[in-house]
Amino acid sequence: LAQLRSALDAECGEAWTAPHRRAPHVAIDIRPESASLLPPAPAPEVEPPKASYLSRLKKKALYLESRDGAVALLQARARGRRARKQKRRGAGEEAEEGVEASTACFPTPVDCRPRPTARSLLLGCLLCVPLLLLSPLLLLCLAACYAYLRLPYLLGWVTSKAITRLGLFGYPLTFGAIHLSPWLELRPARLHLRLCVEDFSLSNPPSLGCPHRHFVSAGAVDFLLTIDLHWAKELLRTGRLQPVPIHFEHTSVRRVKLYFELTRGELNVNGLAREIAELEVRARRSCCAL
């Protein structure tokens, strides 16, 4: 402390005599005269090892000394197994990177639809059989729904058979499906009908053996008809049938194919008219014979 006080007094005197002079830094290291003044550090308490632990260590050391060759072999096998795993992992990562690079622009779609199994189908059948046996009305409703959904194809089949048998005397004409959408207008009295025919076709003459099966075919034929109902009033009032006016408001034909072919020295159009006339004559002769 006496040294510190004298050093501070000297610095203060110099500061008063030379105020513009920068005072040096003063560092005083105060150490005790002897290390014996510091309190001794307490020694850590260490418990002596147990006899069981020492015995286990001895047994393990003896086992390792006697099995040095086996231990070295096991370590070599472990290192080889680890190296093979790392090699396979590197090859798999390279393959995954290649797949990711190939599918980066075009990701593969995932099919999330449930897959039917034989067990689920059998369970569904077992659940439906009691319902059908207990309620016949449900069976009729299911049949009616199926018939309604298949009605356009049924209309196409019936119309094809009717026109082929009655109108063309057996010459083949087919309609794939017929969609009908009628609605009624009261003032004035009109009936509007939207008629869409799919897969219409008129066959080539079967006797000529033409390369193409159909003379004319169309993928879809769409009509919008308007029928004036004033003739019904005249029929009810006078009992005479008046001409029925039918207006084609809209007609659309898509995917039309028409083939003119010359086979066996005869055009298919002439063969078509000839066969229809022959079939009509045969039908009239059969009617007269009856």
Side-chain angles (χ1 to χ4, degrees):
L1 293 176
Q3 294 177 3
L4 178 62
R5 188 179 294 111
S6 61
L8 291 176
D9 292 340
E11 292 295 331
C12 291
E14 292 180 0
W16 281 106
T17 56
H20 299 288
R21 183 182 177 186
R22 186 177 179 181
H25 296 282
V26 178
I28 301 174
D29 187 7
I30 302 174
R31 297 182 182 179
E33 296 180 358
S34 62
S36 60
L37 299 176
L38 297 175
E45 297 181 0
V46 180
E47 295 182 359
K50 296 182 180 179
S52 59
Y53 178 73
L54 294 175
S55 62
R56 285 198 302 270
L57 285 179
K58 289 179 181 179
K59 289 180 180 179
K60 189 174 182 181
L62 292 174
Y63 177 78
L64 292 176
E65 289 178 0
S66 62
R67 299 289 182 178
D68 287 339
V71 170
L73 180 61
L74 292 176
Q75 289 178 354
R77 288 181 180 177
R79 286 194 297 270
R81 196 178 297 113
R82 193 179 300 111
R84 287 193 295 271
K85 284 184 179 180
Q86 291 178 356
K87 187 176 180 181
R88 292 172 187 170
R89 189 179 302 169
E93 290 177 355
E94 290 179 0
E96 289 179 359
E97 289 178 359
V99 171
E100 291 177 358
S102 62
T103 59
C105 299
F106 304 97
T108 55
V110 179
D111 189 6
C112 300
R113 295 174 296 178
R115 298 181 179 179
T117 59
R119 186 176 179 181
S120 61
L121 293 176
L122 181 61
L123 183 61
C125 294
L126 291 177
L127 291 176
C128 291
V129 168
L131 294 176
L132 296 177
L133 293 177
L134 293 176
S135 57
L137 183 61
L138 180 61
L139 182 60
L140 294 177
C141 292
L142 292 176
C145 292
Y146 178 76
Y148 175 76
L149 294 175
R150 296 290 299 178
L151 182 60
Y153 296 95
L154 181 61
L155 288 177
W157 180 78
V158 171
T159 307
S160 301
K161 294 297 181 182
I163 295 177
T164 300
R165 295 287 181 85
L166 303 178
L168 298 178
F169 307 100
Y171 195 85
L173 180 140
T174 57
F175 295 98
I178 298 178
H179 304 270
L180 293 174
S181 300
W183 65 94
L184 182 63
E185 186 179 359
L186 296 179
R187 294 181 182 179
R190 294 178 181 176
L191 177 64
H192 301 275
L193 180 63
R194 181 71 177 269
L195 178 65
C196 183
V197 180
E198 295 182 3
D199 298 332
F200 164 77
S201 63
L202 180 64
S203 298
N204 270 320
S207 60
L208 292 181
C210 298
H212 295 90
R213 181 181 177 184
H214 303 299
F215 167 64
V216 60
S217 63
V221 182
D222 193 3
F223 298 101
L224 179 59
L225 310 177
T226 302
I227 303 174
D228 196 351
L229 299 179
H230 289 291
W231 60 271
K233 296 180 181 180
E234 295 293 334
L235 180 62
L236 293 176
R237 188 176 61 181
T238 61
R240 296 179 180 179
L241 181 61
Q242 301 291 332
V244 180
I246 300 176
H247 304 278
F248 286 85
E249 304 290 343
H250 173 74
T251 304
S252 175
V253 183
R254 296 187 293 272
R255 301 190 300 276
V256 181
K257 295 180 181 179
L258 181 62
Y259 298 100
F260 291 98
E261 299 173 343
L262 183 63
T263 307
R264 298 178 185 178
E266 187 178 8
L267 197 63
N268 58 350
V269 180
N270 299 334
L272 187 149
R274 176 180 55 78
E275 288 205 10
I276 292 177
E278 291 176 356
L279 292 172
E280 183 179 2
V281 171
R282 291 176 188 174
R284 291 183 183 276
R285 286 179 181 177
S286 61
C287 291
C288 292
L290 294 176

